[in-house]
Amino acid sequence: MAIYIALGANLGDRRANLIAALEALPPLVRVDAVSSLYESPPQPPSPPPAYLNAAARVETDLDPEALLVHLKRIEHDLGRRPTVRWGPRPIDLDIALYDDRIVDTRDLQVPHPRLDKRAFVLRPLLDLDDDLEHPATGERLIDLLARVGEADLVRVERRGWHERPHSSE
Ligand code: PH2
Ligand code: MG
Ligand code: MG
């Protein structure tokens, strides 16, 4: 297993926000691999803008709680301010998986509690490792994705997008 961060953005220059977040992770968090970039409507359904989502496989000595603090700091630095639950946001950084650990405190749930219902998290994770399993249930993420379906998800750029200038090929 490894540590996986789910990234999302639906305000401002969404792609630039995701790249800025990836660049803000080191040196405390080293980025090993980044998934393709996906676009999907907000879920549960709410008014646009649509989200861009991706996932990163990372290495860090931070424990889950310290990693969360680091991610919240980056969100804040990129202009995110507290708002209503599931409100639009310039950047969202969630700990999707942390090895096979299960964390369930007031501030942090790992694996991400809605991982099994969200194609926009499952698909990017599976880009990185297609044999991932849910640490709590043992279900394969590929089977969870088949159950929820991915019809709403559009792959807008393939892997390496965060290292390339934007193109509309
Ligand atoms: N994040 C949410 C709520 N809804 N919808 C999509 N498509 N992508 C997201 O990242 C997302 C969402 C709350 O974190
Ligand atoms: Mg989220
Ligand atoms: Mg979040």
Side-chain angles (χ1 to χ4, degrees), residues 7-9 40-44 51-53 86 89 92 94 112 114 118 120-121:
L7 301 92
S40 58
Q43 199 189 311
Y51 275 84
L52 287 182
N53 287 105
W86 294 342
R89 66 279 302 274
D92 182 36
D94 293 332
H112 191 283
R114 288 167 294 282
R118 293 179 152 184
F120 60 81
V121 178

Side-chain angles (χ1 to χ4, degrees), residues 1-97:
M1 292 286 294
I3 304 170
Y4 297 86
I5 295 173
L7 301 92
N10 81 330
L11 277 186
D13 186 336
R14 302 167 300 162
R15 186 182 190 275
N17 296 345
L18 295 174
I19 291 173
L22 289 168
E23 289 177 349
L25 287 167
L28 280 176
V29 175
R30 297 169 297 282
V31 178
D32 276 352
V34 178
S35 73
S36 294
L37 183 64
Y38 295 89
E39 187 166 46
S40 58
Q43 199 189 311
S46 60
Y51 275 84
L52 287 182
N53 287 105
R57 186 175 63 233
V58 304
E59 283 175 51
T60 184
D61 294 328
L62 300 178
D63 63 23
E65 289 74 20
L67 177 57
L68 179 68
V69 170
H70 185 51
L71 299 182
K72 293 286 159 213
R73 171 75 200 261
I74 295 171
E75 289 180 346
H76 187 268
D77 289 350
L78 291 178
R80 178 156 171 195
R81 295 295 180 269
T83 166
V84 292
R85 190 178 191 205
W86 294 342
R89 66 279 302 274
I91 190 71
D92 182 36
L93 302 172
D94 293 332
I95 305 174
L97 296 169

